[in-house]
């Protein structure tokens, strides 16, 4: 199966290892991964800030960079959610209406694709410790994922998953929200971190590095004994070469 990899701009610039681990997972699942190096942003920052014309310009490039026939997979629920939802606002009844709809049907967040398309939930990963899973707003509401990442994490050797209070509440990032409303954003991050600590967690895991970047910033600033990890990095951790998959 041929897969087109979509690497969000902030993943490319700040967390490239997560992109490489996404490729490793897809290849281990038997996929041929293609990466178009011309790809850039999906347009979400401009869209969320209200600059729809600029978002439309960026979105048009996205639509030209990806095909209508291949599956498109990304390690980011928020960016996938932008394409699935935001592009309907930008491109309905335009000249690229049909192409947009085809791409919207073919784009998947990583855990959704692994579990629901490839039917794979075990990769032989190992991670010792206790962790909570943070449901990102986009993951829940735009990509409709909840059980998929939990299923994948339940198969990681040595990892104890516990549920924290208000797991589906926003972490406070929200893109430019964190800049415009810093005090509120920081308070929301504090609440999320405290909920994780109440469960004795050592890790906070999510499908969205934007959320994890925000939480890790609060963790580092306040010297909290927690670590954030993206789902792809967990699933690619400690692979046993002798294990059959």
């Amino acid at each position: 199966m041929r897969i087109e990899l979509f690497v969000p701009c902030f993943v490319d610039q700040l967390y490239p290892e997560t992109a490489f681990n996404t490729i490793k997972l897809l290849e281990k699942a038997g996929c041929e991964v293609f990466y178009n190096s011309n790809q850039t942003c999906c347009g979400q920052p401009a869209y969320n800030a209200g600059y729809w014309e600029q978002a439309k310009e960026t979105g048009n490039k996205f639509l030209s960079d990806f095909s209508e026939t291949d599956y498109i997979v990304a390690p980011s629920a928020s960016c996938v959610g932008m394409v699935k939802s935001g592009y309907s606002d930008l491109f309905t009844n335009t000249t690229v209406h049909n192409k947009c709809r085809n791409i919207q049907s073919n784009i998947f967040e990583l855990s959704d694709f692994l579990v629901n398309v490839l039917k794979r939930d075990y990769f032989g990963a190992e991670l010792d410790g206790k962790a909570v899973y943070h449901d990102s707003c986009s993951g829940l509401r735009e990509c409709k994922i909840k059980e998929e990442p939990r299923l994948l994490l339940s198969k990681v050797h040595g990892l104890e998953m516990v549920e924290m209070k208000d797991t589906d509440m926003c972490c406070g990032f929200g893109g430019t929200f964190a800049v415009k409303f810093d005090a509120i954003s920081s308070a929301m991050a504090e609440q999320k971190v405290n909920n994780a600590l109440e469960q004795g967690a050592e890790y906070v895991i999510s499908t969205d590095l934007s959320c994890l970047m925000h939480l890790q910033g609060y963790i580092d600033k306040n010297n909290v004994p927690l670590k954030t990890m993206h789902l792809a990095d967990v699933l690619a951790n400690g692979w046993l070469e002798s294990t059959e998959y």
Side-chain angles (χ1 to χ4, degrees):
M1 182 184 294
R2 175 186 159 99
I3 304 300
E4 295 185 34
L5 180 66
F6 168 37
V7 179
C9 46
F10 66 92
V11 176
D12 176 67
Q13 293 297 311
L14 301 175
Y15 303 99
E17 190 62 30
T18 300
F20 287 117
N21 283 333
T22 299
I23 295 172
K24 292 177 183 177
L25 288 166
L26 291 169
E27 288 182 341
K28 177 156 283 200
C31 298
E32 177 188 359
V33 181
F34 173 77
Y35 175 73
N36 181 356
S37 60
N38 290 323
Q39 65 178 269
T40 54
C41 180
C42 64
Q44 182 181 186
Y47 176 84
N48 288 345
Y51 297 101
W52 281 23
E53 284 305 312
Q54 289 83 347
K56 194 171 184 178
E57 182 179 350
T58 306
N60 267 312
K61 184 180 187 310
F62 181 95
L63 294 176
S64 68
D65 286 338
F66 291 90
S67 75
E68 300 178 60
T69 55
D70 291 334
Y71 285 115
I72 304 165
V73 180
S76 171
S78 65
C79 295
V80 170
M82 169 62 189
V83 176
K84 282 186 171 295
S85 179
Y87 277 23
S88 294
D89 291 327
L90 300 178
F91 300 113
T92 296
N93 295 328
T94 68
T95 57
V96 293
H97 176 102
N98 291 338
K99 181 172 186 177
C100 179
R101 290 294 181 269
N102 290 335
I103 286 179
Q104 286 177 313
S105 298
N106 289 337
I107 192 168
F108 288 84
E109 180 276 328
L110 177 63
S111 70
D112 186 14
F113 186 76
L114 294 176
V115 172
N116 295 321
V117 179
L118 297 182
K119 310 299 182 184
R120 294 288 301 271
D121 60 18
Y122 176 69
F123 289 88
E126 287 188 343
L127 181 65
D128 291 327
K130 181 184 286 189
V132 293
Y133 178 76
H134 162 61
D135 290 285
S136 72
C137 298
S138 296
L140 274 177
R141 296 163 181 82
E142 295 174 346
C143 296
K144 312 299 183 186
I145 57 170
K146 185 175 179 68
E147 300 305 324
E148 292 84 354
R150 288 174 169 81
L151 176 61
L152 290 161
L153 291 168
S154 72
K155 304 295 181 71
V156 176
H157 297 285
L159 185 62
E160 179 187 357
M161 293 299 301
V162 293
E163 287 291 328
M164 64 176 165
K165 181 174 62 178
D166 298 329
T167 182
D168 57 350
M169 296 294 287
C170 180
C171 68
F173 178 61
T176 55
F177 177 87
V179 177
K180 293 180 179 179
F181 304 99
D182 175 62
I184 300 174
S185 175
S186 296
M188 294 171 74
E190 179 182 18
Q191 183 181 49
K192 181 70 66 171
V193 167
N194 286 339
N195 288 344
L197 291 174
E198 285 178 6
Q199 298 300 320
E202 301 165 75
Y203 299 96
V204 178
I205 302 170
S206 184
T207 58
D208 271 287
L209 279 166
S210 52
C211 298
L212 297 178
M213 176 178 65
H214 179 60
L215 293 175
Q216 191 66 54
Y218 177 87
I219 289 167
D220 292 343
K221 182 178 180 180
N222 294 279
N223 297 312
V224 177
L226 265 178
K227 181 180 180 181
T228 58
M229 288 187 73
H230 188 277
L231 177 71
D233 300 325
V234 176
L235 296 179
N237 189 70
W239 278 354
L240 301 175
E241 296 301 329
S242 60
T243 302
E244 294 184 3
Y245 303 97

